[in-house]
Amino acid sequence: MAAATAAAAPGRGRRGAPMYSKELTSKKRDEFEDILEERRLSSDLRYAMKCYTPVIYKGLSPCKPNAIKSAVLQSEQVQYVIKQLAKEMGESPDIIQEEAMEILDEMGHNMQLGAVRFFAFTLSKIFKQLFQRVCVNEEGMQRLQHAIQEHPVVLLPSHRSYIDFLMLSYLLYTYDLALPVIAAGIDFLGMKIVGELLRRAGAFFMRRSFGGNRLYWAVFAEYVKTMLRNGYAPVEFFLEGTRSRTAKTLTPKFGLLSIVMEPFFKREVFDTYLVPISISYERILEESLYAYELLGVPKPKESTSGLLKARRILSDNFGTIHIYIGQPVSLRTLASGRISRCPYNLVPRHLPQKPSEDIQEFVSDVAYKMELLQIENMVLSPWVLVAAVLLQNLPAMDFELLIEKTLWLKGLTQTFGGFIEWPDNLCAKKAIMSGLTLHSNIARLVDGHVVLNDKGVEDGGVGEIVFKHALAILTCATYRNQLLNVFVRPSLVAIALQMTRSFRKEEVYNYFSFLRDVFSDEFIFFPGISLKDFEEGCFLLTKCDAIQTNQQEIYPTNKGGVIVSFLSAMFRPFVEGYQLIFRYLSKEAKEAFTEKQFIPGVRNFVFQLLEKGNTQCYEALSSDMQKNALAALVLLGAVKKEKMSNGFTYNVNQEAVNKILDMFDARIPVQKPVAARL
């Protein structure tokens, strides 16, 4: 059967050695400095009006925004597409050129120092009000300063909040570095005044989808490449494409990354530096908004009035932000021995060229590598550990036991390579109390027990009770989720051990690999290295003395039961959630459907089960999990996705879904040829 074969097929092999290899020994990370400390001691006006002379690429003078637009419009690439379209449509090239100019006017940034200074002053006031500290690794800033002078630079930050791009520009201004030009969604242009201010602070705007608009694609791609080739400013965009509503890293989008790599492939630049940046929030500004969105409440439209209404958050405390500027990664080094640039020499540079399979695979590998580097340097606060422990001990947990379990989890997280920032000079009890105070909207201490803060849950009908409880759980899960990428590989080994009820390494690996395929949109795995991930999971479990292995078998140790059970329980919401979603598709989805029909359908299905008390898996109500589960079945060949004029439709192969469900429930073994000797 197609689905079973797809589920069983090992990850497609990559050419050469894997591009990404995680260090399994604990590595030394840079120290952090609080940039708000100085802001609290000196004048914000003086800071905003300081002498700002950033060093830029090879000593170039900054280029005026209109000069960039002219260069794009006159470029061979854009002129070629204009002539082609004029010929095909029987239009005058002047009309199409005018259309291209309109696209550039809508899209282009208009960076002006006055707007930058306005933001420097305003953001200083706002950040001091919202955050206790904004910590950055200064060594990372020094490496970035050096990189900006050598080659064109692409900044790739993680994306958890609208604060991300404001914070990064603020940071670069603070350190006298060239401000980035930032790819922003066209939605921001709908915000009167604010949209124009963002444009003047370096934002350029892209439509959410280009459809088949060849002119828009040509103008946009050339605009980005012109800025990059000339190195006037670092280019910044989010690989995830949008804010993660769950605090888990989203699978990467490849379009913009492909564009910024092209000048290197075409030998228009000697090298390009890609800089992974990890931005970690002790408390996320949009946390409650995200929980509502995941439960189907529409996202508020970006508007100036909405921004003004949000002023009330200024009286709230959002703790500490950590920004870790990663090591700049040379595209030339990544491509060395892997990519031949010769095919680009055979075609004139201005002719549009579809990337070869090798190039597409390379772009994908680089994207996953950058996201995994972001994940490695995400900072975990004590509250993240508390949330993970609390969600396994609902409805209430003894406070002293919570402290004990949190300290145990702290040790395990550090063993697995997690980057924990524990507050200086604070004992465990005070650190955890501090987290509870900061997150009093999520959990509270009542009579020596910690409970979820789902006030008002008793009021209203059954449906309202389920909704309020789901809100509390999804908000808390946002913080637990930050741990999951540290734990996912050993946890999938632990689940595989429990589900197969076998000690044979081959059977455990087969089930691990099946789970890895099923959760490929839920967590970030480097493509094609399933066996390596399995070995990493086994290594970490051995390191904490949870298992022992020999060539053929894996045994849990006497003390390993506690760790294996904890890891399995941490990922149980995903296992149970996917089972429920697959069950819905197996029973209810008889005809073709769209995503807009699927999400409310599966939500109602799970809602009814929760109301009747037939499940406790509130996280299955999350639209993020529902979309990821559907994407997994498409990947495994159990659901067929077809492009229609008004979007995509899905058709379910019932037999294939049932077979996957049986494998997922461990009712039938996962048949999988082992790709290499274990």
Side-chain angles (χ1 to χ4, degrees):
M1 183 189 300
T5 313
R12 191 155 60 97
R14 280 353 212 192
R15 281 176 49 186
M19 184 188 289
Y20 176 77
S21 185
K22 184 180 174 185
E23 288 180 46
L24 294 179
T25 51
S26 54
K27 65 171 188 175
K28 182 187 176 296
R29 291 186 175 91
D30 301 343
E31 297 292 316
F32 285 104
E33 291 290 328
D34 175 16
I35 62 167
L36 288 189
E37 193 177 336
E38 192 182 330
R39 294 277 42 76
R40 295 189 199 281
L41 300 173
S42 58
S43 157
D44 290 329
L45 187 60
R46 193 174 296 128
Y47 163 76
M49 301 308 293
K50 69 177 183 170
C51 176
Y52 174 64
T53 51
V55 177
I56 58 171
Y57 174 50
K58 293 185 177 167
L60 287 170
S61 305
C63 186
K64 294 273 187 279
N66 283 337
I68 296 173
K69 287 183 191 174
S70 297
V72 171
L73 206 57
Q74 300 311 317
S75 68
E76 286 183 310
Q77 284 86 342
V78 170
Q79 285 300 314
Y80 174 81
V81 172
I82 287 172
K83 282 171 190 161
Q84 286 292 104
L85 288 171
K87 200 171 170 183
E88 288 168 25
M89 296 159 67
E91 289 272 13
S92 156
D94 291 348
I95 291 172
I96 309 228
Q97 174 123 340
E98 212 169 292
E99 201 183 320
M101 194 65 226
E102 284 170 12
I103 290 170
L104 274 168
D105 286 341
E106 174 193 82
M107 175 192 301
H109 79 77
N110 187 21
M111 196 184 287
Q112 294 177 10
L113 191 54
V116 170
R117 294 194 188 283
F118 169 79
F119 270 112
F121 178 77
T122 310
L123 291 177
S124 280
K125 299 284 183 203
I126 292 170
F127 291 159
K128 284 189 291 186
Q129 197 77 23
L130 287 176
F131 304 110
Q132 290 170 335
R133 296 185 305 152
V134 172
C135 299
V136 63
N137 61 324
E138 290 215 320
E139 288 175 52
M141 293 306 296
Q142 287 161 14
R143 290 192 293 262
L144 180 58
Q145 183 178 28
H146 185 66
I148 285 172
Q149 295 173 63
E150 285 196 328
H151 297 292
V153 164
V154 179
L155 303 178
L156 300 170
S158 57
H159 201 14
R160 302 289 175 272
S161 169
Y162 278 145
I163 292 290
D164 295 331
F165 64 88
L166 296 170
M167 183 58 79
L168 216 45
S169 293
Y170 181 79
L171 186 61
L172 267 62
Y173 180 79
T174 301
Y175 281 88
D176 265 332
L177 298 184
L179 291 193
V181 287
I182 308 153
I186 201 86
D187 323 7
F188 285 106
L189 275 185
M191 299 174 73
K192 290 173 187 169
I193 305 167
V194 174
E196 193 50 43
L197 272 172
L198 290 171
R199 193 194 289 279
R200 292 181 184 204
F204 64 96
F205 300 94
M206 58 188 287
R207 294 175 189 170
R208 288 292 175 193
S209 68
F210 301 172
N213 191 332
R214 278 156 57 200
L215 182 63
Y216 190 90
W217 176 256
V219 170
F220 178 78
E222 190 56 29
Y223 184 74
V224 174
K225 286 185 284 186
T226 299
M227 291 188 292
L228 188 87
R229 272 194 299 260
N230 298 306
Y232 297 123
V235 174
E236 177 190 328
F237 62 90
F238 300 105
L239 271 173
E240 295 166 90
T242 186
R243 293 170 298 161
S244 168
R245 269 67 173 168
T246 60
K248 289 190 290 92
T249 301
L250 305 175
T251 50
K253 306 288 182 287
F254 306 128
L256 259 169
L257 188 62
S258 186
I259 289 171
V260 297
M261 286 183 175
E262 201 177 290
F264 170 74
F265 293 144
K266 290 187 172 179
R267 301 176 193 268
E268 294 169 338
V269 296
F270 181 77
D271 199 357
T272 301
Y273 280 136
L274 307 174
V275 184
I277 299 172
S278 312
I279 307 177
S280 312
Y281 293 85
E282 192 175 6
R283 185 178 166 205
I284 299 165
L285 265 80
E286 300 98 323
E287 60 183 7
S288 59
L289 200 65
Y290 288 165
Y292 276 101
E293 277 186 52
L294 292 171
L295 290 170
V297 178
K299 172 187 135 183
K301 198 170 180 290
E302 284 84 358
S303 68
T304 307
S305 60
L307 186 68
L308 293 171
K309 283 176 195 164
R311 281 178 307 170
R312 63 178 180 275
I313 67 167
L314 291 173
S315 59
D316 226 333
N317 175 13
F318 289 88
T320 298
I321 297 183
H322 286 91
I323 304 160
Y324 196 97
I325 311 290
Q327 186 81 38
V329 176
S330 155
L331 183 55
R332 189 178 186 85
T333 304
L334 292 178
S336 176
R338 165 91 189 255
I339 291 297
S340 166
R341 293 188 286 170
C342 296
Y344 283 98
N345 297 345
L346 306 174
V347 180
R349 280 179 180 168
H350 66 275
L351 291 180
Q353 214 177 334
K354 190 175 187 297
S356 66
E357 253 185 62
D358 280 355
I359 294 282
Q360 288 178 44
E361 194 179 85
F362 177 71
V363 171
S364 164
D365 284 1
V366 171
Y368 276 96
K369 178 186 173 74
M370 290 299 121
E371 287 201 343
L372 286 160
L373 289 171
Q374 286 174 359
I375 287 165
E376 272 187 34
N377 293 319
M378 292 300 259
V379 171
L380 305 168
S381 68
W383 172 251
V384 167
L385 309 176
V386 171
V389 172
L390 186 58
L391 283 171
Q392 290 193 30
N393 293 275
L394 294 176
M397 188 175 188
D398 177 77
F399 183 54
E400 295 301 326
L401 183 60
L402 177 68
I403 295 169
E404 184 189 318
K405 284 275 190 187
T406 302
L407 280 175
W408 172 83
L409 183 55
K410 179 190 175 193
L412 191 64
T413 304
Q414 287 170 326
T415 302
F416 286 1
F419 188 0
I420 297 176
E421 274 284 306
W422 199 266
D424 291 338
N425 311 318
L426 275 193
C427 67
K429 186 172 184 175
K430 283 186 179 170
I432 291 166
M433 268 312 300
S434 165
L436 279 169
T437 305
L438 186 67
H439 298 276
S440 58
N441 60 318
I442 299 176
R444 65 190 197 278
L445 193 57
V446 179
D447 301 330
H449 286 77
V450 177
V451 296
L452 276 189
N453 196 354
D454 47 9
K455 280 179 191 166
V457 156
E458 302 78 16
D459 309 333
V462 179
E464 201 176 337
I465 290 170
V466 168
F467 185 84
K468 285 178 179 172
H469 199 53
L471 266 180
I473 285 178
L474 286 178
T475 310
C476 192
T478 300
Y479 294 94
R480 177 220 49 209
N481 288 346
Q482 295 174 34
L483 265 188
L484 297 183
N485 277 306
V486 175
F487 282 84
V488 65
R489 290 158 190 81
S491 295
L492 293 190
V493 174
I495 294 166
L497 266 171
Q498 286 190 332
M499 296 297 269
T500 55
R501 300 180 190 86
S502 166
F503 297 139
R504 287 189 62 234
K505 195 183 263 190
E506 187 176 328
E507 284 181 38
V508 177
Y509 169 66
N510 287 347
Y511 200 84
F512 168 91
S513 201
F514 166 69
L515 288 174
R516 185 185 182 275
D517 287 344
V518 169
F519 291 133
S520 59
D521 271 83
E522 203 70 59
F523 308 105
I524 302 301
F525 299 108
F526 192 84
I529 59 165
S530 182
L531 183 60
K532 198 164 182 294
D533 280 343
F534 177 70
E535 286 166 349
E536 181 190 319
C538 290
F539 171 82
L540 293 173
L541 287 173
T542 308
K543 190 177 174 185
C544 65
D545 202 20
I547 61 168
Q548 288 180 330
T549 65
N550 59 35
Q551 213 139 18
Q552 276 82 39
E553 292 177 315
I554 298 177
Y555 296 101
T557 60
N558 292 335
K559 68 174 266 192
V562 174
I563 294 172
V564 167
S565 295
F566 181 86
L567 297 181
S568 299
M570 188 189 275
F571 283 79
R572 190 170 295 132
F574 297 93
V575 174
E576 288 182 8
Y578 273 51
Q579 284 168 327
L580 291 173
I581 295 161
F582 292 171
R583 205 158 285 137
Y584 164 78
L585 286 168
S586 164
K587 286 179 180 175
E588 308 288 330
K590 306 295 182 194
E591 295 172 4
F593 57 88
T594 63
E595 192 181 271
K596 280 187 177 172
Q597 293 166 323
F598 165 70
I599 299 292
V602 73
R603 185 180 289 126
N604 289 340
F605 174 77
V606 175
F607 216 94
Q608 285 168 18
L609 292 174
L610 287 162
E611 283 180 326
K612 291 171 187 166
N614 293 343
T615 181
Q616 287 300 304
C617 188
Y618 285 85
E619 291 185 52
L621 288 172
S622 161
S623 56
D624 187 73
M625 183 183 286
Q626 292 156 5
K627 288 173 190 173
N628 289 342
L630 184 62
L633 289 178
V634 171
L635 181 79
L636 297 174
V639 171
K640 192 176 179 187
K641 182 179 179 182
E642 288 184 280
K643 188 164 176 56
M644 310 295 275
S645 56
N646 58 344
F648 291 98
T649 62
Y650 298 86
N651 281 282
V652 176
N653 178 336
Q654 302 284 346
E655 193 187 344
V657 171
N658 286 333
K659 182 125 186 203
I660 288 171
L661 198 48
D662 284 345
M663 288 193 278
F664 215 61
D665 293 343
R667 283 196 291 268
I668 60 169
V670 175
Q671 297 299 321
K672 183 159 188 177
V674 180
R677 190 167 61 80
L678 291 166

